[in-house]
Amino acid sequence: MPVPASYNDITQDISLRDFIGWVWYEKEIWLPSRWEEKTASSRVMLRVGSAHYFSVIWVNGIQVMEHEGGHLPFETEISNILKDSAGSLCRITIAVNNTLTLHTLPPGTIQFMEDGTRYPKGYFVQNIEFDFFNYAGIHRPVVLYTTPGIYIDDITVITDTDGNTGIINYVVSVVGSESYSVSVTLRDRQGQVAAHGVETSGHLVVPDAKLWWPYLMHEDPGYLYSLEVMILAKNGNGSVEDIYVLPVGIRTVHISGDQFLINGKPFYFHGVNKHEDYDVRGKGLDWSLIVKDFNLLKWLGANSFRTSHYPYAEEIMDLCDKYGIVVIDECPGVGIKYAESFGNQSLNHHLTVMEELVRRDKNRPSVVMWSVANEPASQLPAAGYYFKTVIGYTKQLDPTRPVTYVSNANYEHDQGAPYVDVICVNSYFSWYHDAGHLEVIQLQLNNQFDLWYEKYQKPMIQSEYGADTIPGFHSDPPLMFTEEYQRIVLENYHAVFDQKKFVIGELIWNFADFMTAQSVTRVVGNKKGIFTRQRQPKSSAYILRDRYLKLANSTGLFK
């Protein structure tokens, strides 16, 4: 079985495609002899980029860790185990279970079918409350790496500006010794030193700083400096050196009234929602697909996307930093629909997930807002305390970024809306209700915006909208599932967006068609993409391209 990849679509076995439960991966490798020496002072780390959903890892038959949750990395030190088995093959075993319960994130339920006249004994199904396929397996790379015994454990960077001067506040965490020297060097794109420090915490001042700007908001978007952190210490074997290089973009994010400001300038989100999804490999990391998607984003004129509905691979986030694509970074809080999922067990796990996500992505200039959930049952009484706690904890972890979640609840009854910084709303007028009635879109959308804004007085993003479209289906007058229908849906939404000064963004659902569970409402997946699953454009892609490029030019910032 290849890694990284979802296992579901790799074979011809239908039972594996829909399998729920434990699968086992195992690999034997030879390691460098210096890693196994008894006198070796370096740490050997085993890191998994992500595995869905619950993982247990053994090295040479010894359990070394467990991890709950897909979409985020986890790691553990295995140095002592390797020293005890020096000269032998190293066997790495990873068991992965994709079962979802009411307390996982995302939640799900296991339903046993008791009717013996219709189902065999012990028959069960995994029920989910989200509309994408529950791909499983090891989705991102598994790597072994080493660090010295005294090492850089973490770096936190917060940037600011004062006129033309950039300010980088940093904190370096070192583990393994209390006695060491630190050198912090900031280099520009050409490798020239822009600032220097010699403390584990402090601030670097960068005169005439080149700011990190979003794509299409500046002629040189995504400008990154390199922060080189080096520590030098002594141990029993002599000197120890550890070096880490962190890309840093100097930028600020603020909300002022009804405006979302990046570097003090109003920013309008004109972008997409995506999925990590493609033929055969499912959610498995695929560099060719990643690069293709970024080329399409730039062609489209998209300046942003939401990581619907889970954190995306670090490799994707790296390119967002590099190209200036703004990100609303969303955790796997999708499908939280039942009261049992708002209890303390679920809440504590949700807080842990946010801690893992913020630790991973806190230094990324592309990440401008955290999203803690998508379409939860936020009208339930327990949702108020739940989201007040999750949002408050996320702000403690990172006080520099706004926090939101995406709602499709009634504006009067949304218990969590008072605690978000930006109201994000999903709606599908003339699709999931009033199907086929294009004439009601603008009335209903106007009322949606006005009622939410009147109650909460916060900037708003249309975080999802769209219509399923089968490529090549045409009808005039338009019928549902045709390209003409999707085009008119978009045009009606756009007409309303342009009237609302407090609307700060629009994210189409979806960038590309994607796989879902089988149902009578899904014909080989969700077809709301403006591109097919194979990344070919539907006519709506050209509608959005024309609009997004005009929106970019209307800001007056792109030259």
Side-chain angles (χ1 to χ4, degrees):
M1 183 60 63
V3 173
S6 301
Y7 60 71
N8 309 79
D9 294 339
I10 298 296
T11 75
Q12 306 309 111
D13 187 348
I14 190 173
S15 65
L16 183 61
R17 185 192 68 191
D18 299 317
F19 180 76
I20 302 297
W22 289 102
V23 297
W24 296 72
Y25 294 80
E26 192 164 84
K27 186 177 182 66
E28 292 184 327
I29 55 174
W30 289 105
L31 298 177
S33 59
R34 65 182 182 278
W35 289 11
E36 303 172 326
E37 294 172 355
K38 293 291 185 182
T39 58
S41 60
S42 61
R43 302 162 63 241
V44 180
M45 304 297 296
L46 173 61
R47 186 179 195 270
V48 180
S50 77
H52 187 69
Y53 171 79
F54 186 86
S55 303
V56 184
I57 302 180
W58 295 261
V59 175
N60 293 337
I62 299 172
Q63 183 175 328
V64 295
M65 78 172 302
E66 298 179 353
H67 182 263
E68 180 180 356
H71 316 294
L72 287 167
F74 51 96
E75 64 181 16
T76 188
E77 183 179 356
I78 61 171
S79 310
N80 291 334
I81 294 175
L82 299 184
K83 291 177 182 179
D84 291 339
S85 56
S88 303
L89 277 168
C90 175
R91 185 174 72 254
I92 299 172
T93 309
I94 303 178
V96 183
N97 193 323
N98 64 339
T99 304
L100 301 178
T101 72
L102 289 173
H103 305 300
T104 59
L105 206 65
T109 57
I110 295 294
Q111 181 180 3
F112 283 89
M113 301 302 189
E114 305 293 347
D115 185 348
T117 66
R118 301 178 64 190
Y119 306 100
K121 185 177 180 179
Y123 189 85
F124 69 90
V125 294
Q126 169 80 77
N127 295 320
I128 54 177
E129 298 292 333
F130 52 84
D131 187 32
F132 55 92
F133 193 80
N134 188 34
Y135 279 115
I138 301 175
H139 288 152
R140 297 172 192 161
V142 178
V143 298
L144 291 167
Y145 73 94
T146 64
T147 76
I150 304 169
Y151 61 97
I152 300 166
D153 179 60
D154 193 23
I155 303 170
T156 300
V157 168
I158 297 174
T159 64
D160 203 351
T161 58
D162 183 6
N164 293 328
T165 300
I167 300 168
I168 299 176
N169 300 290
Y170 69 89
V171 177
V172 178
S173 173
V174 178
V175 174
S177 176
E178 298 294 328
S179 179
Y180 51 84
S181 62
V182 178
S183 174
V184 180
T185 303
L186 186 75
R187 298 185 184 275
D188 64 19
R189 192 180 281 168
Q190 287 70 42
Q192 300 300 308
V193 175
H196 184 70
V198 292
E199 304 290 339
T200 54
S201 63
H203 64 274
L204 305 178
V205 178
V206 186
D208 298 319
K210 294 185 179 296
L211 302 185
W212 187 95
W213 288 99
Y215 176 57
L216 296 179
M217 200 172 176
H218 191 270
E219 59 189 5
D220 188 13
Y223 190 95
L224 295 174
Y225 291 85
S226 295
L227 188 72
E228 299 177 0
V229 179
M230 181 178 71
I231 63 168
L232 188 63
K234 292 187 180 298
N235 63 11
N237 298 324
S239 297
V240 174
E241 182 181 77
D242 193 20
I243 300 174
Y244 193 89
V245 180
L246 177 72
V248 173
I250 300 174
R251 65 103 180 92
T252 61
V253 173
H254 295 101
I255 292 175
S256 178
D258 295 335
Q259 292 185 319
F260 194 99
L261 305 178
I262 296 181
N263 300 331
K265 303 293 186 182
F267 177 78
Y268 186 85
F269 296 79
H270 46 88
V272 302
N273 295 275
K274 293 182 89 276
H275 267 300
E276 290 181 316
D277 173 277
Y278 200 62
D279 291 332
V280 183
R281 74 274 290 156
K283 291 191 182 305
L285 181 80
D286 184 323
W287 265 115
S288 297
L289 176 64
I290 291 171
V291 173
K292 177 65 173 180
D293 280 2
F294 273 88
N295 282 325
L296 289 175
L297 287 170
K298 293 171 73 175
W299 173 87
L300 187 66
N303 63 6
S304 54
F305 65 75
R306 174 171 60 123
T307 66
S308 47
H309 298 297
Y310 40 81
Y312 291 175
E314 291 157 286
E315 292 82 352
I316 294 174
M317 305 300 286
D318 288 342
L319 291 185
C320 290
D321 291 338
K322 179 178 179 179
Y323 293 133
I325 302 298
V326 169
V327 176
I328 300 173
D329 208 352
E330 188 163 272
C331 81
V334 58
I336 308 175
K337 297 296 187 182
Y338 298 104
E340 295 90 334
S341 297
F342 288 96
N344 287 336
Q345 183 177 347
S346 297
L347 177 58
N348 289 333
H349 178 55
H350 204 146
L351 298 179
T352 298
V353 170
M354 292 311 302
E355 187 173 340
E356 292 181 359
L357 176 58
V358 171
R359 178 180 171 91
R360 193 194 76 164
D361 290 345
K362 62 185 175 182
N363 295 322
R364 296 189 177 280
S366 60
V367 175
V368 301
M369 186 156 53
W370 306 109
S371 172
V372 301
N374 178 77
E375 296 185 355
S378 49
Q379 76 282 356
L380 296 179
Y385 173 78
Y386 187 95
F387 284 113
K388 179 182 180 180
T389 303
V390 173
I391 291 169
Y393 186 64
T394 304
K395 287 177 175 286
Q396 289 180 29
L397 295 170
D398 176 20
T400 71
R401 291 178 176 89
V403 181
T404 189
Y405 68 79
V406 175
S407 180
N408 66 347
N410 182 283
Y411 76 99
E412 289 188 296
H413 305 301
D414 194 307
Q415 302 299 306
Y419 309 109
V420 303
D421 297 302
V422 175
I423 300 289
C424 292
V425 178
N426 294 347
S427 58
Y428 291 92
F429 302 125
S430 85
W431 192 259
Y432 290 122
H433 52 81
D434 299 305
H437 291 280
L438 296 164
E439 67 275 8
V440 304
I441 292 177
Q442 293 195 34
L443 172 65
Q444 294 180 0
L445 186 58
N446 267 297
N447 286 329
Q448 167 198 281
F449 284 134
D450 293 344
L451 292 170
W452 276 94
Y453 185 73
E454 181 180 350
K455 184 172 179 64
Y456 298 105
Q457 296 292 302
K458 295 178 181 181
M460 296 185 64
I461 294 175
Q462 183 72 40
S463 39
E464 290 183 24
Y465 70 104
D468 281 82
T469 303
I470 309 298
F473 276 32
H474 296 282
S475 176
D476 187 18
L479 293 173
M480 294 177 70
F481 294 97
T482 66
E483 297 196 42
E484 288 77 14
Y485 194 92
Q486 186 182 42
R487 173 180 61 82
I488 295 178
V489 167
L490 267 57
E491 290 174 346
N492 273 277
Y493 269 82
H494 297 162
V496 177
F497 296 161
D498 292 340
Q499 300 172 24
K500 307 298 180 183
K501 299 301 183 185
F502 53 83
V503 172
I504 60 169
E506 56 193 74
L507 304 176
I508 188 70
W509 189 269
N510 193 282
F511 173 75
D513 296 344
F514 56 91
M515 188 53 63
T516 65
Q518 297 184 75
S519 77
V520 295
T521 63
R522 293 285 176 257
V523 183
V524 194
N526 189 303
K527 294 293 192 291
K528 291 188 180 67
I530 59 170
F531 297 98
T532 67
R533 200 182 191 207
Q534 293 72 37
R535 277 37 180 189
Q536 298 305 310
K538 304 175 189 178
S539 59
S540 55
Y542 297 93
I543 298 292
L544 275 185
R545 183 174 192 264
D546 181 65
R547 175 172 175 80
Y548 284 178
L549 293 176
K550 288 178 180 177
L551 285 170
N553 290 331
S554 70
T555 65
L557 294 173
F558 178 61
K559 299 178 175 56

